[in-house]
Amino acid sequence: NKRIVTAIARDHVETIKITRTLFHRMLEEFPDLAAMLHSRISRSVQEFVSKLEVVQRNLDRADGT
């Protein structure tokens, strides 16, 4: 499997690996979990897009457009 992100813990943590199949099953069996994850991911994407818009405005000003 290709690792697409890296995380660094500030304190001691324990982790588990959840297969894609198990993750999908968890989302099906626990709809509240699915809704919470959807909300958090949506909020993160919105924040990212807002930051990109700021960068775009700054680039446009630097180009004089």
Side-chain angles (χ1 to χ4, degrees), residues 5-47:
V5 297
T6 298
I8 300 173
R10 293 183 184 178
D11 295 311
H12 177 76
V13 297
E14 292 186 29
T15 62
I16 60 169
K17 182 176 181 177
I18 300 174
T19 64
R20 182 180 302 260
T21 302
L22 177 57
F23 183 71
H24 284 252
R25 183 175 164 198
M26 290 169 60
L27 295 178
E28 289 175 7
E29 292 185 21
F30 300 96
D32 289 346
L33 171 66
M36 185 269 306
L37 286 174
H38 180 271
S39 176
R40 285 190 180 188
I41 291 168
S42 178
R43 189 169 45 251
S44 292
V45 169
Q46 289 172 349
E47 290 171 3

